[in-house]
Amino acid sequence: IEHTFDTKKLGYLYETLPTRQGVKHLEHHHEQPPIMAHLPRFKITSLEGKCYEIHVFVSPKGVNPQAGMNPDQWPMNQFYAGMTGVFGRGPGCATCERRKPVDLTVDITDNLKKLGLSRWDVDLTMMCLDISTPNYVVLPIEQTKLPRPQI
């Protein structure tokens, strides 16, 4: 506020002006943007009708997050960062054909803070739950047609 023009000289007179405490929204300007695990642009049709829950683990470089094959246990894992999902349709889905490529993201900021690590110090592991099958098959992302994750 103190760095603004002299409003009286400009012909404006205000009874009160906001104080510095009244401008709290500016404090967020110095916060860092969120850090995201990102699955870059892909066409839904590339999934060939598969639907996935995609679970993200963030661990120190070279450390296996020991995700395991039991999805019920994943949220309790110290390296678990969150999940996203995608619904694919098979050939002949006109909407899927017309749909623009999608990006999927999971905010991993809190997990990095909890671990005391930066984005440069970690590996991403993604486990997928194929929910288009009757028994929900668990697969590492490398065994799917999903793009490889980035930070």
Side-chain angles (χ1 to χ4, degrees):
I1 304 298
E2 58 272 352
H3 62 275
T4 59
F5 295 103
D6 183 341
T7 58
K8 290 178 188 171
K9 287 183 183 176
L10 294 173
Y12 297 97
L13 181 61
Y14 299 96
E15 290 181 31
T16 61
L17 290 173
T19 63
R20 239 175 129 55
Q21 292 86 10
V23 191
K24 292 191 182 213
H25 67 277
L26 293 178
E27 292 173 11
H28 298 292
H29 177 70
H30 299 289
E31 289 182 12
Q32 295 294 319
I35 299 170
M36 309 298 269
H38 177 230
L39 289 148
R41 298 190 159 237
F42 64 96
K43 291 282 288 174
I44 294 295
T45 53
S46 69
L47 301 180
E48 299 175 347
K50 298 289 187 177
C51 303
Y52 296 107
E53 284 183 9
I54 305 159
H55 296 262
V56 181
F57 298 82
V58 178
S59 58
K61 280 200 181 291
V63 173
N64 183 334
Q66 302 296 324
M69 300 300 277
N70 183 349
D72 294 333
Q73 298 297 316
W74 292 343
M76 279 73 83
N77 185 304
Q78 67 174 331
F79 301 122
Y80 186 76
M83 57 108 32
T84 187
V86 63
F87 296 95
R89 294 280 310 268
C93 172
T95 302
C96 300
E97 294 290 337
R98 287 191 308 270
R99 187 171 180 189
K100 292 182 179 179
V102 297
D103 290 91
L104 298 177
T105 58
V106 173
D107 186 341
I108 61 171
T109 309
D110 289 343
N111 193 266
L112 290 171
K113 285 180 185 176
K114 178 180 78 172
L115 295 170
L117 298 171
S118 80
R119 64 182 295 158
W120 310 111
D121 301 326
V122 298
D123 289 327
L124 285 178
T125 300
M126 292 193 177
M127 297 297 290
C128 300
L129 188 58
D130 181 348
I131 59 175
S132 52
T133 60
N135 297 323
Y136 291 8
V137 175
V138 174
L139 302 164
I141 196 167
E142 294 79 13
Q143 293 179 17
T144 73
K145 299 213 180 233
L146 289 161
R148 299 304 162 249
Q150 305 169 350
I151 297 179

